Amino acid sequence: PLSRKTLANIMGTIRTFWKYCRCMLFCTTLNPEMLSIPKAAQLKGKTILQPEGLVTLFSVDTVVHRGKLVQDPYIYAYRFQVATGLRPGELLGLCVGDVKEKTAELHIHRAINSSNNVTAGKNDNAKRTAVLPVQAIDAYRAQISLLKASGIKLNYNTPLFPIKSQASYYARWNRYLKANDVPHISPYELRHTFVSIAKILP
């Protein structure tokens, strides 16, 4: 039982291949116009952070590490992501110079994929400018203070969140959820959480 989106992707791939065959004058008996998605195909549900989890995220910054309660080094990254709706790769690609604190603007024009390669983003709409809410500005200021306290010299190209990889981010996030009894969601679903919150705003 594949989801409706998966079926649509498969159908799109078949149709694209058929067009390629036709353009290259290859013989094919495929007739993709007859393809359709079953009406019973289900939309995959999205999991989001519930209100209790949001309260925890913005009030608790600790995890248990080797039996001790310590500050999660990525706490401001989690908060910044849920407050801005960034994809995990976009979050990892942010540099200090991408944030204009005076105008509360965020310029998104790069991402780091799961292979740790720098890309221009997921699609043509990935490059964009967004207005930062108060929660994101607070997370940004706290992260800058954390970088300075760590002895990191700041310039335009300094990574805002020096995270090794998407896998490392995922592992740290899972540890935070377990330590604070928050139901599991993936880092990408923090973006879904943002979208769900934005839907009820004016």
Side-chain angles (χ1 to χ4, degrees):
L2 301 176
S3 71
R4 179 174 290 273
K5 183 176 180 181
T6 299
L7 291 172
N9 289 339
I10 293 172
M11 185 170 67
T13 300
I14 293 173
R15 286 179 173 172
T16 301
F17 178 68
W18 179 82
K19 288 180 181 178
Y20 167 78
C21 290
R22 185 178 62 181
C23 291
M24 300 302 292
L25 302 179
F26 294 150
C27 180
T28 174
T29 57
L30 286 174
N31 188 11
E33 284 81 4
M34 301 299 294
L35 293 175
S36 63
I37 299 174
K39 292 182 179 179
Q42 298 294 315
L43 290 170
K44 183 180 178 182
K46 291 182 171 65
T47 306
I48 63 171
L49 203 58
Q50 297 303 307
E52 299 82 3
L54 281 169
V55 170
T56 299
L57 177 59
F58 283 92
S59 60
V60 180
D61 63 0
T62 54
V63 293
V64 177
H65 181 61
R66 295 180 180 177
K68 295 182 180 180
L69 204 61
V70 298
Q71 183 183 36
D72 190 312
Y74 296 166
I75 185 62
Y76 303 121
Y78 312 147
R79 292 175 181 176
F80 193 89
Q81 188 187 358
V82 80
T84 57
L86 292 178
R87 300 176 179 91
E90 293 171 340
L91 183 81
L92 270 64
L94 283 182
C95 292
V96 171
D98 296 329
V99 178
K100 310 299 180 187
E101 188 176 355
K102 290 183 179 179
T103 56
E105 288 182 333
L106 173 64
H107 300 283
I108 306 153
H109 53 88
R110 81 177 70 77
I112 298 177
N113 63 22
S114 57
S115 299
N116 267 0
N117 295 320
V118 178
T119 71
K122 183 177 180 180
N123 51 44
D124 292 338
N125 296 324
K127 292 185 178 181
R128 61 198 187 278
T129 297
V131 177
L132 293 173
V134 173
Q135 293 82 358
I137 294 174
D138 288 344
Y140 167 77
R141 289 172 177 168
Q143 178 64 18
I144 291 295
S145 296
L146 184 63
L147 292 175
K148 289 179 178 178
S150 301
I152 297 175
K153 293 183 179 180
L154 304 183
N155 57 51
Y156 188 88
N157 295 314
T158 301
L160 181 57
F161 300 105
I163 300 170
K164 293 181 180 179
S165 64
Q166 287 198 34
S168 174
Y169 185 58
Y170 189 93
R172 293 274 190 170
W173 170 242
N174 279 342
R175 190 171 71 176
Y176 177 85
L177 294 178
K178 290 179 182 178
N180 294 288
D181 295 320
V182 178
H184 178 268
I185 70 168
S186 71
Y188 199 95
E189 286 168 328
L190 289 177
R191 176 175 168 81
H192 297 162
T193 302
F194 167 83
V195 172
S196 297
I197 294 171
K199 283 182 179 178
I200 64 172
L201 297 177

